[in-house]
Amino acid sequence: MKPTPFVNLVLSMVLAVTVTTILYLGRGIILPVVAATILVYLMSAATAALARLPGLKLLPGGVLSFLVVLVFSLAVALFAAVVAATVRSIIDVIPVYEANLDRFIVNLADRLNLDANDMWESLRAATIDRIDIEAVTIALLGNFTSLGGMIFLILIYAAFLTGERIGFPAKVARALPQAGDAQRVMTVVQEVNAQITTYLSVKTLINIILATICFAILWFLDVDFALFWAIVIGMLNYIPYFGSYLGVAFPAILSLAQFGSLWWTILVTVLLTGAQFIVGNIVEPRMIGRQLNLSPFVVLIALAFWGALWGIPGAILAIPMTSILIIVLNQFSSTRFLAVLAAERIDPDPAVAAAHAPTAAPHEPPAT
């Protein structure tokens, strides 16, 4: 019996729920592998960039790949060292921050004449006095510490996957002996490679530029732990729309605890937000453009979905993962409509364009 559209819909929903459950329950294993696969794209772009340098173009590809893995390992080690030093330093200065915040709140209450107000005392006892700044800070920094450990594991997976890439085409050809199947798979893989590699490499360069600008601002304003917060801002900028401004919130709140001055905090926030705005609305569109062709609504849904599954790492990987899914859906006639609905712009169909193209008039011989 031929399956009806309703049966196909039900089976598709069951499959979607099953896959989502597997992704959630197996996130401890699946997430590092997926992240390592995405990282391989970035490392491939770095290897290709090294191969274009005059002094390195003569080196074998394996040597260049090893140099890239070494550089990424050093970057992870630097990140771990910065996080460890920042955690120790913040724990040491938390009593000072608590005193500064308490002084700031008391001065604010005096200016607003709230000290004699019983409602203010009740509100403060129910909110501010109940906040354990030390526990909240350690919990937040613990998330960054665990993220650093996961990045190290991802880097190990990526190093092995880099070696696997060499024999991947031969494995696909052997696994899919039917005529055209292997070529079709490799075509999809090459399209994914081209789009994701370009996006990640350019996005990483933009994040480095943003982190450098934010570090200069924080250092100039004498905000504590400027290097750490600049790295956090650069990492969170992988999350579209919300990540960059979420990264600004951390040093802005810290500046209020450090200086106890609302105006200084406003200055820090304005300068960091201005850097985010310039990079996000002027530099990034010129460098990235609309390469991935995802509608803003689909991006928001992807952030919500992957963020709910895997937290902050899922939000960082949401755009590459969704882009890969759209590319795969576009390869099959039965699912191509989903790829079209998820697109920001609709490219003209070559077959339709050819059918509507004006035909040239037949060439007539010159009159004799």
Side-chain angles (χ1 to χ4, degrees), residues 200-223:
L200 287 177
S201 57
V202 177
K203 184 68 173 179
T204 301
L205 178 60
I206 291 172
N207 292 351
I208 293 175
I209 294 173
L210 177 62
T212 303
I213 296 174
C214 292
F215 172 75
I217 293 173
L218 294 171
W219 176 80
F220 179 77
L221 296 178
D222 199 28
V223 178

CSV table of all heavy atoms in Angstrom, one decimal, residues 200-223:
chain,number,residue,atom,x,y,z
A,200,LEU,N,33.2,30.4,8.5
A,200,LEU,CA,34.0,30.3,9.8
A,200,LEU,C,35.3,31.0,9.8
A,200,LEU,O,35.7,31.7,10.8
A,200,LEU,CB,34.2,28.8,10.1
A,200,LEU,CG,33.0,28.0,10.6
A,200,LEU,CD1,33.4,26.5,10.8
A,200,LEU,CD2,32.4,28.6,11.8
A,201,SER,N,36.0,31.0,8.7
A,201,SER,CA,37.3,31.7,8.6
A,201,SER,C,37.1,33.2,8.7
A,201,SER,O,37.8,33.9,9.4
A,201,SER,CB,38.0,31.3,7.3
A,201,SER,OG,37.2,31.6,6.2
A,202,VAL,N,36.1,33.7,7.9
A,202,VAL,CA,35.9,35.2,7.9
A,202,VAL,C,35.3,35.6,9.3
A,202,VAL,O,35.7,36.6,9.9
A,202,VAL,CB,34.9,35.6,6.8
A,202,VAL,CG1,34.6,37.1,6.8
A,202,VAL,CG2,35.6,35.2,5.5
A,203,LYS,N,34.4,34.8,9.8
A,203,LYS,CA,33.8,35.1,11.1
A,203,LYS,C,34.8,35.1,12.2
A,203,LYS,O,34.8,36.0,13.1
A,203,LYS,CB,32.7,34.1,11.4
A,203,LYS,CG,31.9,34.4,12.7
A,203,LYS,CD,31.0,35.6,12.6
A,203,LYS,CE,30.1,35.8,13.8
A,203,LYS,NZ,29.3,37.0,13.7
A,204,THR,N,35.7,34.2,12.2
A,204,THR,CA,36.8,34.1,13.2
A,204,THR,C,37.7,35.4,13.1
A,204,THR,O,38.1,35.9,14.1
A,204,THR,CB,37.6,32.9,13.0
A,204,THR,OG1,36.8,31.7,13.2
A,204,THR,CG2,38.8,32.8,14.0
A,205,LEU,N,38.0,35.8,11.9
A,205,LEU,CA,38.8,37.0,11.7
A,205,LEU,C,38.1,38.2,12.2
A,205,LEU,O,38.7,39.1,12.9
A,205,LEU,CB,39.1,37.2,10.2
A,205,LEU,CG,39.9,38.4,9.8
A,205,LEU,CD1,41.3,38.5,10.5
A,205,LEU,CD2,40.1,38.6,8.3
A,206,ILE,N,36.8,38.3,12.0
A,206,ILE,CA,36.0,39.4,12.5
A,206,ILE,C,36.0,39.4,14.0
A,206,ILE,O,36.1,40.4,14.7
A,206,ILE,CB,34.5,39.3,12.0
A,206,ILE,CG1,34.5,39.6,10.5
A,206,ILE,CG2,33.6,40.3,12.7
A,206,ILE,CD1,33.2,39.4,9.8
A,207,ASN,N,35.8,38.2,14.6
A,207,ASN,CA,35.8,38.1,16.1
A,207,ASN,C,37.2,38.5,16.7
A,207,ASN,O,37.2,39.1,17.8
A,207,ASN,CB,35.5,36.6,16.5
A,207,ASN,CG,34.1,36.3,16.2
A,207,ASN,OD1,33.3,37.1,15.8
A,207,ASN,ND2,33.7,35.0,16.3
A,208,ILE,N,38.3,38.2,16.0
A,208,ILE,CA,39.6,38.6,16.5
A,208,ILE,C,39.7,40.1,16.4
A,208,ILE,O,40.2,40.7,17.4
A,208,ILE,CB,40.7,37.9,15.6
A,208,ILE,CG1,40.7,36.4,15.9
A,208,ILE,CG2,42.1,38.5,16.0
A,208,ILE,CD1,41.7,35.6,15.0
A,209,ILE,N,39.2,40.7,15.4
A,209,ILE,CA,39.2,42.2,15.3
A,209,ILE,C,38.4,42.8,16.4
A,209,ILE,O,38.8,43.7,17.1
A,209,ILE,CB,38.7,42.6,13.9
A,209,ILE,CG1,39.6,42.1,12.8
A,209,ILE,CG2,38.5,44.1,13.8
A,209,ILE,CD1,39.1,42.4,11.4
A,210,LEU,N,37.2,42.2,16.6
A,210,LEU,CA,36.3,42.8,17.7
A,210,LEU,C,37.0,42.6,19.0
A,210,LEU,O,36.9,43.5,19.9
A,210,LEU,CB,35.0,42.1,17.6
A,210,LEU,CG,34.0,42.4,18.7
A,210,LEU,CD1,33.6,43.9,18.6
A,210,LEU,CD2,32.7,41.6,18.6
A,211,ALA,N,37.5,41.4,19.3
A,211,ALA,CA,38.2,41.2,20.6
A,211,ALA,C,39.3,42.1,20.8
A,211,ALA,O,39.6,42.6,21.9
A,211,ALA,CB,38.6,39.7,20.7
A,212,THR,N,40.1,42.4,19.8
A,212,THR,CA,41.2,43.3,19.9
A,212,THR,C,40.8,44.8,20.2
A,212,THR,O,41.3,45.4,21.1
A,212,THR,CB,42.1,43.3,18.6
A,212,THR,OG1,42.5,42.0,18.3
A,212,THR,CG2,43.3,44.2,18.7
A,213,ILE,N,39.7,45.2,19.5
A,213,ILE,CA,39.2,46.6,19.8
A,213,ILE,C,38.6,46.6,21.2
A,213,ILE,O,38.9,47.6,21.9
A,213,ILE,CB,38.1,46.9,18.8
A,213,ILE,CG1,38.6,47.0,17.4
A,213,ILE,CG2,37.4,48.2,19.1
A,213,ILE,CD1,37.6,47.2,16.3
A,214,CYS,N,37.9,45.6,21.6
A,214,CYS,CA,37.3,45.6,23.0
A,214,CYS,C,38.4,45.6,24.0
A,214,CYS,O,38.3,46.2,25.1
A,214,CYS,CB,36.4,44.5,23.2
A,214,CYS,SG,34.8,44.6,22.2
A,215,PHE,N,39.5,44.8,23.8
A,215,PHE,CA,40.6,44.8,24.7
A,215,PHE,C,41.2,46.1,24.9
A,215,PHE,O,41.6,46.6,26.0
A,215,PHE,CB,41.7,43.8,24.3
A,215,PHE,CG,42.9,43.8,25.1
A,215,PHE,CD1,43.0,43.3,26.3
A,215,PHE,CD2,44.1,44.4,24.5
A,215,PHE,CE1,44.2,43.3,27.1
A,215,PHE,CE2,45.2,44.5,25.3
A,215,PHE,CZ,45.3,43.9,26.6
A,216,ALA,N,41.4,46.9,23.7
A,216,ALA,CA,42.0,48.2,23.8
A,216,ALA,C,41.1,49.1,24.6
A,216,ALA,O,41.6,49.9,25.4
A,216,ALA,CB,42.2,48.8,22.4
A,217,ILE,N,39.8,49.0,24.4
A,217,ILE,CA,38.9,49.9,25.2
A,217,ILE,C,38.9,49.6,26.7
A,217,ILE,O,39.0,50.5,27.5
A,217,ILE,CB,37.4,49.7,24.7
A,217,ILE,CG1,37.3,50.3,23.2
A,217,ILE,CG2,36.4,50.4,25.6
A,217,ILE,CD1,36.0,50.0,22.6
A,218,LEU,N,38.9,48.3,27.0
A,218,LEU,CA,38.9,47.9,28.4
A,218,LEU,C,40.2,48.2,29.1
A,218,LEU,O,40.3,48.7,30.3
A,218,LEU,CB,38.6,46.4,28.5
A,218,LEU,CG,37.2,45.9,28.1
A,218,LEU,CD1,37.1,44.4,28.0
A,218,LEU,CD2,36.2,46.5,29.1
A,219,TRP,N,41.3,48.0,28.4
A,219,TRP,CA,42.6,48.4,28.9
A,219,TRP,C,42.8,49.9,29.1
A,219,TRP,O,43.3,50.3,30.1
A,219,TRP,CB,43.7,47.9,28.0
A,219,TRP,CG,45.1,48.2,28.4
A,219,TRP,CD1,45.9,47.6,29.3
A,219,TRP,CD2,45.9,49.4,27.9
A,219,TRP,NE1,47.1,48.3,29.5
A,219,TRP,CE2,47.1,49.3,28.6
A,219,TRP,CE3,45.7,50.4,27.0
A,219,TRP,CZ2,48.1,50.3,28.4
A,219,TRP,CZ3,46.6,51.3,26.7
A,219,TRP,CH2,47.8,51.3,27.4
A,220,PHE,N,42.3,50.7,28.2
A,220,PHE,CA,42.3,52.1,28.3
A,220,PHE,C,41.5,52.6,29.5
A,220,PHE,O,41.9,53.6,30.2
A,220,PHE,CB,41.9,52.8,27.0
A,220,PHE,CG,41.9,54.3,27.0
A,220,PHE,CD1,43.1,55.0,26.9
A,220,PHE,CD2,40.7,55.0,27.2
A,220,PHE,CE1,43.1,56.4,26.9
A,220,PHE,CE2,40.7,56.4,27.2
A,220,PHE,CZ,41.9,57.1,27.1
A,221,LEU,N,40.4,52.0,29.7
A,221,LEU,CA,39.5,52.4,30.8
A,221,LEU,C,39.9,51.8,32.1
A,221,LEU,O,39.2,51.9,33.1
A,221,LEU,CB,38.0,52.1,30.5
A,221,LEU,CG,37.4,52.9,29.3
A,221,LEU,CD1,36.0,52.4,29.0
A,221,LEU,CD2,37.5,54.4,29.5
A,222,ASP,N,40.9,51.0,32.1
A,222,ASP,CA,41.5,50.3,33.3
A,222,ASP,C,40.5,49.4,34.0
A,222,ASP,O,40.4,49.2,35.2
A,222,ASP,CB,41.9,51.4,34.3
A,222,ASP,CG,42.9,50.8,35.4
A,222,ASP,OD1,43.6,49.9,35.1
A,222,ASP,OD2,42.9,51.4,36.5
A,223,VAL,N,39.7,48.7,33.1
A,223,VAL,CA,38.8,47.6,33.6
A,223,VAL,C,39.6,46.4,33.9
A,223,VAL,O,40.4,46.0,33.1
A,223,VAL,CB,37.7,47.3,32.6
A,223,VAL,CG1,36.8,46.2,33.1
A,223,VAL,CG2,36.9,48.6,32.3
